[in-house]
C-alpha cells in the first residue's frame, strides 16, 4: 500500500498542480489502509471522510478521482448529480450509483480471476482450435448395451475403426496443426465456431437503469442459445479463451469478493454537485434540487441497497463530490449533506505556467499524443519551447476572454494548429521532420495577429 507521498508522486505523473486536492485524496486513501489493520470492533466505527472538490471546470477534478481508483485497483463509479433531477425514463434513481459500482467491482474481480487462469484457458482454447481444424474421429463403442442405445449414447455418427497407420497419421496431422497455431501461421484462416447468442435489453430499459436477464429470472432453466459464426482463427482464439476462462472461475466467489470490495474499497465520484445546490424548486421537467440532495443523503450517510448480487452496505464507500460552484456555494447544500462531506478542497484556476506544464510534463501529454498519432503516417513532429509558450499564452487568453473551460481549451487550440498537417498526412512517403516553432503557432492561430483575435477558439 502506497504512502500519501507516494500517491501524490504517482498522481503528479498525470495531473499538473492541485497539490491540496492530491494531498486530501492521498490521506483518505491511506486512512482506508490504516482502518483495515484495526481490530474489527473499532474498524466498524470508523467511516471514510468524504471530500468535496471545488474549482472551475477543466482543472483536474475528475482526473484525480479516476487516477486514484486506478492506483489502488479499486472499483470506481462516476455519476452526474444532474441525472437524478430529470423526470421520465431518462432520469435515474440514486440507488443506481451503487448498482453501477458493484458492476464495476464485478468486472475488476472477474478480470483478476481471468488473469490467474489465463495459461490454462489458453491451452484449452488451443486444443479446441485443433479439434475444429482436425476433428477427432468418432468410433463405434464395442461394448454398448441396449439400454445405452435407448438413452441415445450411440446416436452420434460412428466411423469405421482406424488402422494403426491411420491413427499415427491423424495424430501427426494434429501435432502439425498445433505447431502452426503456436507459430501464428494460421491466424488469418477462416473457421466456424459455436458461440452463445446474447439477448440485449431494450434501449428504454437500459435508459431507466433496469438490467433484466430473463435466463437469470428463470433460474437458468432456459439453455443459452448458440449460433455458428465464421471468424478468423485469431478472433476464434479470443472467443474460446474467454469461454474457457469463464469455465475455470467460480462466479459465486467472484460475486462475493466483488460485493465486499465495493463495500470496503469502492469510490463514487459525484460530479456537478453544485447544480443541485440550493433549495429552489424548478418548474417543468425537473424535480426539486433539494429533493435530490435528500435522496442522496442516506446513500452517503450509510444504508443498505438491494442489487441483483445481493444487499450492499454503503457505510464505508468513499464519496468524492465535485463542482465549479460558480453560481451556488457549498453552503447552499442542505446542512445534513454538508456534514457528510467534511473535507473541502479548493482547486486553483490554471495559469500560463500550468498550461505549459500540461502540454509537456504528464506521461501522456497532449503534444506527445499528437506526435504519436502523426508518427503512424511517417511524420516526426516536435515542438520548440517558444511554440509551447505561445500555445500556453493562447489557451490562457482564450479562457480569460470567453468561457473558462480549463485544460480542455488546449485540445481545441492544438487541433486547430495541426489541422493542415493532419489533413495532408498519409500516403506512401519517407519520414518527414516537422518542427513547430513560435512563428508557426502565430501564423496558424492568429492570421490577423493585430489584436489577438481568439474568438474562433471559444466554443
Amino acid at each position: 500500500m502506497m504512502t500519501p507521498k507516494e500517491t501524490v508522486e504517482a498522481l503528479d505523473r498525470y495531473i499538473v498542480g492541485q497539490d491540496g486536492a492530491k494531498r486530501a485524496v492521498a490521506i483518505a486513501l491511506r486512512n482506508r489502509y490504516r482502518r483495515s489493520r484495526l481490530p474489527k470492533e473499532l474498524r466498524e466505527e470508523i467511516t471514510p471522510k468524504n471530500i468535496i472538490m471545488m474549482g472551475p471546470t477543466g482543472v483536474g477534478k475528475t482526473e484525480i478521482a479516476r487516477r486514484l481508483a486506478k492506483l489502488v485497483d479499486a472499483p470506481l463509479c462516476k455519476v452526474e448529480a444532474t441525472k437524478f433531477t430529470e423526470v421520465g425514463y431518462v432520469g435515474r434513481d440514486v440507488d443506481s450509483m451503487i448498482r453501477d459500482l458493484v458492476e464495476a467491482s464485478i468486472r475488476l474481480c472477474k478480470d483478476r480471476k481471468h488473469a490467474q487462469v489465463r495459461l490454462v484457458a489458453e491451452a484449452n482454447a488451443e486444443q479446441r482450435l485443433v479439434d475444429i481444424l482436425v476433428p477427432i474421429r468418432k468410433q463405434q463403442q464395442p461394448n454398448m448395451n441396449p439400454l445405452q442405445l435407448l438413452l441415445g449414447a450411440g446416436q452420434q455418427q460412428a466411423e469405421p475403426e482406424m488402422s494403426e497407420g491411420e491413427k499415427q497419421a491423424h495424430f501427426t496431422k494434429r501435432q502439425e496443426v498445433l505447431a502452426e497455431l503456436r507459430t501464428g501461421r494460421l491466424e488469418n484462416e477462416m473457421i466456424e465456431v459455436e458461440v452463445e447468442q446474447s439477448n440485449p435489453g431494450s434501449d428504454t430499459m437500459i435508459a431507466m437503469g433496469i438490467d433484466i436477464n430473463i435466463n437469470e429470472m428463470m433460474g437458468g432453466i432456459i439453455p443459452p442459445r448458440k449460433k455458428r459464426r465464421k471468424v478468423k482463427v485469431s478472433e476464434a482464439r479470443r472467443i474460446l479463451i474467454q469461454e474457457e476462462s469463464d469455465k475455470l472461475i467460480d462466479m459465486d466467489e467472484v460475486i462475493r469478493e466483488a460485493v465486499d470490495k465495493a463495500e470496503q474499497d469502492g469510490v463514487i465520484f459525484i460530479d456537478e454537485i453544485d447544480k443541485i445546490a440550493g433549495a429552489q424548486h424548478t418548474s417543468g421537467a425537473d424535480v426539486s434540487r433539494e429533493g435530490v440532495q435528500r435522496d442522496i443523503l442516506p446513500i452517503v450517510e450509510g444504508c443498505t441497497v438491494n442489487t441483483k448480487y445481493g444487499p450492499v452496505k454503503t457505510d464505508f464507500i468513499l464519496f468524492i463530490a465535485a463542482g465549479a460552484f460558480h453560481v451556488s456555494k457549498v453552503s447552499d447544500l442542505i446542512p445534513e449533506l454538508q456534514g457528510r462531506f467534511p473535507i473541502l478542497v479548493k482547486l486553483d484556476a490554471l495559469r500560463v505556467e500550468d498550461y505549459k506544464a500540461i502540454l509537456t510534463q504528464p506521461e501522456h501529454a497532449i503534444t506527445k499524443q499528437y506526435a504519436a498519432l502523426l508518427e503512424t503516417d511517417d511524420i516526426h513532429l516536435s515542438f520548440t519551447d517558444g511554440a509551447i509558450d505561445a500555445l500556453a499564452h493562447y489557451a490562457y487568453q482564450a479562457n480569460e476572454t470567453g468561457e473558462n473551460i480549463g485544460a480542455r481549451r488546449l485540445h481545441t487550440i492544438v487541433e486547430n494548429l495541426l489541422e493542415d498537417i493532419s489533413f495532408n498526412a498519409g500516403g506512401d512517403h519517407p519520414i518527414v521532420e516537422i518542427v513547430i516553432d513560435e512563428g508557426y503557432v502565430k501564423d496558424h492561430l492568429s492570421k490577423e495577429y493585430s489584436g489577438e483575435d481568439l474568438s474562433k477558439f471559444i466554443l
Side-chain angles (χ1 to χ4, degrees), residues 130-141:
V130 174
D131 292 343
I132 294 170
L133 293 165
V134 187
I136 298 175
R137 296 178 63 178
K138 305 177 184 67
Q139 300 180 49
Q140 183 68 44
Q141 299 295 327

Side-chain angles (χ1 to χ4, degrees), residues 82-92 282-288:
T82 50
K83 274 291 180 187
F84 306 123
T85 65
E86 297 168 352
V87 176
Y89 77 90
V90 294
R92 305 193 71 188
T282 59
S283 58
D286 283 343
V287 296
S288 162

Side-chain angles (χ1 to χ4, degrees), residues 321-373:
F325 290 99
H326 287 314
V327 178
S328 58
K329 303 183 293 293
V330 176
S331 57
D332 291 332
L333 295 169
I334 60 175
E336 297 90 338
L337 194 59
Q338 290 181 53
R340 296 305 300 173
F341 287 89
I343 300 176
L344 175 63
V345 181
K346 294 184 179 180
L347 282 80
D348 303 321
L350 300 177
R351 302 165 300 171
V352 174
E353 292 75 15
D354 295 322
Y355 289 114
K356 291 180 188 177
I358 292 169
L359 284 166
T360 56
Q361 288 183 11
E363 197 163 297
H364 304 294
I366 298 173
T367 52
K368 297 174 185 176
Q369 293 176 21
Y370 279 93
L373 286 171

Side-chain angles (χ1 to χ4, degrees), residues 16-37:
V16 171
Q18 314 304 351
D19 293 333
K22 291 175 184 174
R23 286 169 64 94
V25 296
I27 292 170
L29 201 64
R30 185 66 181 184
N31 281 341
R32 282 192 154 185
Y33 170 71
R34 292 164 180 158
R35 174 182 169 273
S36 68
R37 302 187 66 184

